[in-house]
Amino acid sequence: MNCNEFLAFIREDFPLTPAQEAAFEALDALYREWNAQINVISRKDIDNLYEHHVLHSLAIARYLQTVPGLYEEFSAASVLDLGTGGGFPGIPLAILFPSARFVLCDSVGKKTIVAQAVSSALGLENVQVVNARAESLPQTFDFVVSRAVASLTDFYPWVKGKFSRGILYLKGGDVVPEIAEVMARHRMARGSVHTWPVSSWLAGPYYDGKLVIHIEK
């Protein structure tokens, strides 16, 4: 999928300004340039940037549209992207939600170099990149987003107490045991965890079994 195909696809669900389209278009050259220096995307997968990384990140936004009022709430929220790597899902979401405020956090410094460089090149004034562990961040956020940095049982303690509205977590595989364990361990209310199959929006074998997991506060 090239950028033109990507834009044609997402225009069906998201209204985009010319500035947003230009930012999405710029991602290809920026990630190719930086990935040649610091490997944050598999070099075998860089040609699938839009399909496997940008669209996958935006599955969170598509899920938000399925819950009444949540898309609008997120659009003005403070958001922590924990384990952002080179900027996923945070940078695509920051392009799409210019009025939301994003902190992109990763404990690996060289990855945050890429996220910062891409964000700066795009002029994303709603993005701050930090090289830190979640536990060291002093502030709380409305939402936490992340893209499969760990099992839910490991991930949740890192962000517990760091959010006021919810977690939106991209993950694949058999998540039922993880969800059951984290709900029991942290005494979550029944009905507070929701799963949404990415394949209901994005077709193809890459998305089979991939989910947006929404944990409500």
Side-chain angles (χ1 to χ4, degrees):
M1 172 181 282
N2 61 33
C3 183
N4 288 335
E5 293 167 332
F6 161 78
L7 289 173
F9 179 80
I10 66 166
R11 285 188 197 110
E12 297 179 10
D13 295 297
F14 306 111
L16 299 175
T17 66
Q20 287 172 310
E21 294 198 3
F24 280 124
E25 185 176 0
L27 290 177
D28 184 67
L30 286 168
Y31 276 108
R32 286 183 187 277
E33 176 187 352
W34 277 100
N35 209 57
Q37 303 173 57
I38 300 172
N39 190 213
V40 292
I41 297 172
S42 165
R43 291 192 169 93
K44 295 180 180 179
D45 204 33
I46 192 67
D47 288 338
N48 297 311
L49 174 72
Y50 287 104
E51 185 174 6
H52 290 179
H53 301 279
V54 184
L55 269 180
H56 189 208
S57 298
L58 295 181
I60 288 174
R62 184 66 187 93
Y63 166 74
L64 292 170
Q65 291 178 326
T66 71
V67 181
L70 198 57
Y71 187 91
E72 291 75 17
E73 183 179 347
F74 190 90
S75 69
S78 60
V79 183
L80 170 64
D81 174 9
L82 183 61
T84 190
F88 298 102
I91 285 178
L93 290 172
I95 295 171
L96 191 63
F97 294 98
S99 295
R101 303 167 307 285
F102 291 83
V103 172
L104 278 53
C105 177
D106 203 288
S107 62
V108 180
K110 66 180 182 179
K111 293 182 179 180
T112 60
I113 290 171
V114 178
Q116 182 63 70
V118 172
S119 172
S120 296
L122 295 174
L124 294 178
E125 296 181 356
N126 61 334
V127 169
Q128 177 188 1
V129 180
V130 296
N131 175 206
R133 301 185 69 85
E135 301 92 324
S136 69
L137 297 177
Q139 68 268 54
T140 59
F141 302 84
D142 296 318
F143 292 94
V144 174
V145 299
S146 193
R147 191 175 183 226
V149 297
S151 70
L152 273 177
T153 49
D154 290 333
F155 179 81
Y156 187 81
W158 299 343
V159 297
K160 186 179 180 181
K162 293 290 184 185
F163 64 96
S164 62
R165 295 293 296 118
I167 297 171
L168 297 155
Y169 196 57
L170 292 164
K171 197 163 191 313
D174 182 10
V175 300
V176 173
E178 292 179 34
I179 291 173
E181 183 176 351
V182 79
M183 288 185 71
R185 185 178 298 179
H186 298 281
R187 299 180 180 180
M188 295 180 184
R190 180 176 296 182
S192 62
V193 181
H194 314 272
T195 61
W196 181 79
V198 175
S199 60
S200 66
W201 182 50
L202 302 173
Y206 179 78
Y207 298 108
D208 290 346
K210 287 184 168 56
L211 301 166
V212 176
I213 302 173
H214 177 201
I215 301 177
E216 294 184 277
K217 180 69 173 180

